[in-house]
Amino acid sequence: MAPDSASAHEADSASTSAFETEKAVEAAPEAVVVVQAHNDAGRIALTVLTARALPGVRAVLVLESGSTDSTRRVAADSGAVLLTDASQLAGYAPLPLLFVDPGRQQRVPEALVLLAPVAAGSADAAVATATESDRGDAAARLARRGLTRAGLTLPGVLTGEYCLSSTAWSLSWPPAAGAGALPGVVVDLLRAGRVVVPIALEAPRPLPGRGLKGRRQVAKALRARRGMPRA
């Protein structure tokens, strides 16, 4: 392909992506956006403001975990509802819960692709996966292997963004700790016979490294659910 043709192709792809995102925004059903934040003062405002501007978003919640910077103040000033405990999500769970990364900022509309199958009733949960080229850290790779054994083959590692129906939220409560939370949620739902769909979604920033502690949290979450029936 000639350079000019390649550039035209890339421009067409970008235009198509923007068009698809715009259509997703227009058709988006009601949902609650949840942003899990820790020391994200420099990026949380734009994420909250962008989410609040989306039609169908009934609330933007910032689940804050002991930040030492001004994350709480900036989030509140941007119009978010501040939560300090995940159990507080119960009052919002009648609507689908869309969990987005605080670094998504003006690209929040792209995450609506996770909401679509849940709102349509074709899935109980949708989880974002990174591309094959982004293999993640040891914790992410362990989670991927564990979910494969549980019956869900992921095209890439989990990025931490996902959407849950109200039923899925109830079935997966309480979650595991730390890096094991999302893998634990997925295993709980699979064992309950629920539908979880992986969706490729470009991560808004490089996937964080969780170190040995994160790997242990994932291993504990997967081990705790092994062989334990869940209705």
Side-chain angles (χ1 to χ4, degrees):
M1 184 181 291
D4 289 346
S5 299
S7 298
H9 177 72
E10 291 174 358
D12 287 344
S13 298
S15 298
T16 300
S17 177
F19 175 75
E20 291 174 347
T21 298
E22 183 178 347
K23 297 298 289 185
V25 169
E26 292 175 356
E30 292 187 344
V32 172
V33 171
V34 183
V35 185
Q36 301 184 84
H38 179 76
N39 289 342
D40 288 299
R43 56 180 68 92
I44 194 73
L46 187 52
T47 301
V48 170
L49 292 171
T50 303
R52 289 183 62 209
L54 295 176
V57 171
R58 293 295 165 256
V60 178
L61 315 177
V62 170
L63 184 56
E64 192 277 325
S65 56
S67 296
T68 56
D69 64 2
S70 56
T71 295
R72 291 175 59 84
R73 176 181 59 77
V74 173
D77 289 347
S78 302
V81 177
L82 288 175
L83 305 180
T84 56
D85 191 306
S87 65
Q88 295 173 289
L89 293 173
Y92 300 88
L95 288 175
L97 300 176
L98 176 61
F99 293 77
V100 302
D101 188 277
R104 189 154 284 280
Q105 299 182 304
Q106 71 269 23
R107 296 171 59 193
V108 172
E110 296 175 7
L112 293 177
V113 67
L114 300 171
L115 173 60
V118 175
S122 59
D124 298 283
V127 294
T129 61
T131 61
E132 277 287 352
S133 60
D134 193 342
R135 300 182 63 247
D137 64 358
R141 295 193 297 273
L142 176 62
R144 186 182 184 188
R145 292 195 299 271
L147 295 183
T148 298
R149 289 194 294 269
L152 180 67
T153 300
L154 300 176
V157 297
L158 296 173
T159 67
E161 295 185 298
Y162 58 105
C163 185
L164 300 177
S165 68
S166 57
T167 299
W169 188 86
S170 299
L171 287 171
S172 59
W173 181 262
L182 182 52
V185 165
V186 176
V187 174
D188 282 342
L189 295 177
L190 293 174
R191 285 173 38 236
R194 299 292 172 163
V195 177
V196 180
V197 295
I199 296 178
L201 179 63
E202 184 180 355
R205 53 178 172 168
L207 300 183
R210 276 82 50 98
L212 181 59
K213 180 180 180 181
R215 192 179 190 284
R216 286 174 173 168
Q217 288 172 336
V218 170
K220 182 177 180 180
L222 296 174
R223 186 169 57 248
R225 285 156 174 77
R226 190 177 303 155
M228 294 173 57
R230 184 151 186 150

